[in-house]
Amino acid sequence: MSEEGELQCRSLGNEHEVSLEEIFKRLNATAKGLSSDEAKRRIGICGKNIFEEVGKESLLIKYLKQYRNFFSLLLLFGSILSFIAEWLDPGQGNIFIAIALLGVVILNGSFTFIQEYQAERIMASFKNLMPPKTRVLRDGEIQEILATEIVVGDVIYLEEGDKIPADGRLIEVNSLKVDNSPITGEAEPQLRSLDCTHPNILECRNMVFSGTLVQTGNGKAIIFGTGSDTQIGKLASLTEQTSSVDTPIRKELNDFIKIISSIAIFLGISFFLIGFLIQDIFLANLIFAIGIIVANVPEGLLPTVTLALSLASKRMAKRNALIKQLESVETLGSTTVICTDKTGTLTQNKMAIHSVYTGSGYLDVKNKATPPEMFLHVAIICNNSRLIEEKPGYKGDPTEGSLLVYSSEFTDIKKMKDDYPRIEEYPFDSKKQRMQVICKTPSGNMESYLKGAPEVIIDMCSHVLVDGKEKTLDEKERRSLEEEHLAMAKKGERVLAFAYRKAESEKEYEDGFVFIGFAGAVDPPRPEASEAIRKCHLAGIKVVMITGDHPVTARSIAATVGLTDDSKEPELITGSELEKLSTEELAKRLKSPSIVFARTSPVQKLKIVRAFQSAGEIVTMTGDGVNDAPAMKNADMGVAMGSGTDVAREAADMVLLDDNFATIVNAIEEGRTVFDNIKKFIAYILTSNIPEILPFIAFVLLALPLPMNVQLILAIDLGTDIIPALSLAVEKGEGGIMKRPPRPKEEKLLTPQVLLTSYGIKGPIEAAAGFACYFAVLFEGGWTWGQQLPFSDPLYMQAITAFFAAVIICQITNVFTSRTRRQSILTKGIFSNRMVLLGIASELLILAFIIFNPFANLIFNTAAISMKYILIAVPFALLLLGIDELRKYAIRKDSAFVIRFFKW
């Protein structure tokens, strides 16, 4: 690498102290930026603007971590005990159990690892759909490129909402404020300047740093540090990656594992001691303890849950909702309040100028009547959007963009900006509700251009422009302007007012302006918004619209999209009212079924979120701007628009690629379905625990020949149950899933009702079927009560085969009943979930293989049996179906007793 290349790639640490001329010389660059060829050369020398994540776990470490859960440790312990049993008494089949348990642990860990790895890849691919971009000056033109392509010497443009891509020295600022908290931890955004204000580079105001966020204003900077040579890159190389926080569903699963494992250990130890006291046979009771542990552990649970979440995230991605973390899918299901923006979410984000009013009256916008020259000056110069070739034709704020598109039909935008260069900008402030710029005219004078909320602008004006002449603005004229503004707002238009005045200095002016006119922009409602809001209301979810528009405009849009009805006016709260309301007063007004917030600043969203949460609501908050980030972070679920700022997308839990409100509703439905499905397959796999445990208890307490061995338990848990359980993970939501209230936040995956249904109703029926088939074989084969049978006795082998077959027959019925929680299974089409049919086919094939294949007979200690013994289980399977249908019927009829004890 050349000395020049070395110098270009690395900062010297004093870039804040030297002059801009020295910076340009050092970087071999100019304020006009680099050429594309030079940028490519520098990427070849210095590399791309990326740095390696420190503390990132290797694939091997991630794989080994799959064996840390309690289930795996229990099964490993069981495998070790089986190896010991084989060593103490060879030839009894314990070696098969040991190998099987070890194989289960490896398969389980590997499958879960593969699913999580694929999920990570999916999440990474989602991020690539929205790569961070930045604007640079290349070849003398402003270009938008990937942030990774930035090189030292590049001149970048900074605007509100940008995430700064690399370290740079400022060469131009307009009221630029930057949030340096990712590096310094200082929460208050800092005003930037061109001067060196501090010897510490991190405290100096003429610097911007990679990873920090532009809060307000705009500016330009020359890049001197990229990738690992940035301040944040150096911090990353010194800091280990922080450990992730468990999501609610992950905590739920951990609790579930602990409960089930505790039951397994307790039963294993208790009955080992009881058996040892009764029979005093150490080895037999050791095998028994292994069986109890294996019978209680649902080996397929973790991979099934991971797969369910992964499939849900893929389905949501197809519906334009990107979940940043798999487990967040489930959080959506408990949403009770959605706080949503209007623009682009409830509307189409196709803002266009619909009407223009000046002091001389309305213009014929449809026939392209030419607006006053001064109107165009303000619309173009007092504007931070820019025109682009791609749809919708502009980049930036939709209202400002629509003004540029409208103005471009009458004048050359670029020429006007060149002729009237800005000297100073006072960016839009949500409190002041206006934006003001000072510019230089071709004659050398200065003018101040103003645009903002009509009621604010009118108050700042002393004159009005009528037919090109300035006239005094009297009270009658003021009232007339206010009436015209309200008339436009009632049509659902977002109205901006325009004004100008002569300027003697670069200061911000508060009065003395000349009123020019109003521009009314319309953003058509999304056609699907009304239906989506109706679905929310049916689902018990309150939809709250938050907008910066005038209350009249807000009320009009709310009625158009179905947020309110004609019978009752919405609870309309303005930003100024919100400031004055006490916590108690606000809580009272939030109880209204229909709420609209108007003239609300993004900062006030946080107060709204906290107020709802204090009332016990689960809040989903949408946003797209920098100031929306705190509210989204504090909400239970933050949702960012795909077209929003980098800051908003980073703060969110979910990103909407299409900015569509209906997508949020679809995602909530998916979240409810996921939670339901996880409960369904938990209830399904727990049911078979009872017919797996009771044989060992009967073996100890009743001195029966062991009705089912460990090998057959594993055949159920990791053979016949797996595909049916996975089929429940892809089950579509029940018909009424969006017609019932949101589930309580405290509702658990494993509830007493789930345990009572699985362990108290379904499980005992399956066990009864197993014992009925088992005793039918024994008694018909001449067995008498109390007679012990060796494991190699053909009669014993047939008896345990019959028990196993009975459990499989009942589990086939169980997978059908588990497809719904409330709805009758008879309303579900047999072919609506083809994977269930595949699961049943797999159960029957495994059953046939274990009964009739000689090799399987050797491993599982089974023998061929007559079909008449298997058919004994059919009435029990039908009984299971009938009782579960009665349970669901009682729930639908709101039976208090059934809901309390059996609704899960």
Side-chain angles (χ1 to χ4, degrees), residues 73-114:
L73 296 176
L74 268 178
L75 293 174
L76 280 172
F77 179 66
S79 178
I80 293 168
L81 290 180
S82 300
F83 275 118
I84 293 171
E86 177 66 21
W87 176 63
L88 293 174
D89 189 10
Q92 297 300 313
N94 291 311
I95 187 65
F96 294 124
I97 298 172
I99 294 171
L101 289 176
L102 187 60
V104 166
V105 174
I106 293 171
L107 284 172
N108 203 352
S110 299
F111 184 81
T112 307
F113 168 74
I114 290 168

Side-chain angles (χ1 to χ4, degrees), residues 133 171 241 378 388 604 746:
K133 293 184 176 181
I171 58 177
Q241 188 182 45
V378 180
I388 57 174
Q604 290 175 320
E746 63 275 6

Side-chain angles (χ1 to χ4, degrees), residues 11-28:
S11 66
L12 300 181
N14 65 344
E15 282 79 9
H16 60 303
E17 296 175 324
V18 300
S19 66
L20 278 174
E21 291 74 17
E22 173 62 26
I23 290 285
F24 287 127
K25 183 179 178 182
R26 184 183 292 180
L27 298 175
N28 193 19

Side-chain angles (χ1 to χ4, degrees), residues 347-397:
T347 58
Q348 296 179 34
N349 204 14
K350 294 179 180 176
M351 195 76 77
I353 299 302
H354 185 261
S355 57
V356 174
Y357 177 86
T358 69
S360 307
Y362 281 99
L363 298 181
D364 188 351
V365 174
K366 285 186 178 180
N367 292 317
K368 299 185 179 180
T370 305
E373 183 72 14
M374 192 57 75
F375 180 97
L376 294 174
H377 284 194
V378 180
I380 294 168
I381 307 302
C382 191
N383 193 318
N384 280 331
S385 291
R386 64 184 187 278
L387 295 178
I388 57 174
E389 292 183 4
E390 297 85 10
K391 289 185 178 181
Y394 57 82
K395 184 73 180 289
D397 179 78

Side-chain angles (χ1 to χ4, degrees), residues 847-860 862-864:
L847 176 60
F849 176 74
I850 289 175
I851 292 176
F852 299 112
N853 185 277
F855 180 69
N857 294 158
L858 176 65
I859 294 174
F860 295 99
T862 54

Side-chain angles (χ1 to χ4, degrees), residues 106-297:
I106 293 171
L107 284 172
N108 203 352
S110 299
F111 184 81
T112 307
F113 168 74
I114 290 168
Q115 285 301 318
E116 291 187 357
Y117 177 71
Q118 288 179 341
E120 285 183 10
R121 293 288 297 273
I122 291 167
M123 294 302 112
S125 69
F126 288 168
K127 288 181 181 178
N128 292 335
L129 290 176
M130 300 177 297
K133 293 184 176 181
T134 193
R135 289 197 303 153
V136 300
L137 198 56
R138 291 264 177 95
D139 301 319
E141 295 181 351
I142 300 173
Q143 300 179 18
E144 190 169 65
I145 66 170
L146 293 174
T148 55
E149 304 294 326
I150 293 288
V151 295
V152 291
D154 261 327
V155 173
I156 64 168
Y157 285 76
L158 303 172
E159 292 180 340
E160 179 179 320
D162 285 350
K163 185 175 182 181
I164 297 170
D167 288 2
R169 168 79 178 264
L170 288 165
I171 58 177
E172 185 180 303
V173 292
N174 287 305
S175 302
L176 182 67
K177 278 189 175 183
V178 176
D179 175 10
N180 278 344
S181 58
I183 290 181
T184 64
E186 190 172 356
E188 184 68 27
Q190 299 297 308
L191 187 69
R192 302 286 92 182
S193 76
L194 299 182
D195 302 320
C196 179
T197 58
H198 201 282
N200 184 340
I201 191 169
L202 292 176
E203 300 290 337
C204 196
R205 292 179 182 262
N206 62 2
M207 309 299 292
V208 288
F209 303 105
S210 174
T212 58
L213 317 168
V214 178
Q215 286 284 355
T216 59
N218 53 66
K220 290 197 294 187
I222 183 165
I223 298 302
F224 63 82
T226 61
S228 298
D229 194 42
T230 59
Q231 293 295 323
I232 202 164
K234 292 168 185 174
L235 285 171
S237 64
L238 297 172
T239 309
E240 288 293 317
Q241 188 182 45
T242 57
S243 58
S244 59
V245 178
D246 283 342
T247 56
I249 197 167
R250 182 58 61 182
K251 291 176 182 176
E252 280 286 303
L253 288 171
N254 289 338
D255 290 343
F256 173 81
I257 289 169
K258 288 174 184 175
I259 292 169
I260 296 299
S261 300
S262 299
I263 293 172
I265 293 170
F266 173 75
L267 290 176
I269 294 173
S270 298
F271 283 97
F272 172 79
L273 294 174
I274 293 170
F276 187 74
L277 291 172
I278 293 174
Q279 298 182 14
D280 195 21
I281 305 172
F282 174 80
L283 188 59
N285 286 291
L286 180 63
I287 296 169
F288 162 73
I290 296 168
I292 285 285
I293 290 172
V294 173
N296 268 282
V297 176

Side-chain angles (χ1 to χ4, degrees), residues 620-672:
T620 290
M621 169 64 78
T622 72
D624 58 3
V626 176
N627 291 329
D628 295 329
M632 287 195 293
K633 279 186 176 179
N634 276 268
D636 299 277
M637 189 77 185
V639 179
M641 304 300 111
S643 62
T645 61
D646 294 339
V647 183
R649 292 202 298 263
E650 199 167 273
D653 302 295
M654 182 172 79
V655 179
L656 303 182
L657 289 181
D658 58 359
D659 295 4
N660 195 338
F661 180 81
T663 303
I664 303 174
V665 181
N666 292 337
I668 288 174
E669 185 174 353
E670 197 67 59
R672 289 188 175 191

Side-chain angles (χ1 to χ4, degrees), residues 443-469:
S443 62
N445 297 320
M446 291 190 295
E447 288 180 337
S448 174
Y449 296 154
L450 179 72
K451 83 168 190 297
E455 61 269 30
V456 174
I457 304 303
I458 292 172
D459 282 346
M460 296 172 69
C461 293
S462 57
H463 292 74
V464 58
L465 189 68
V466 180
D467 296 328
K469 297 179 181 179

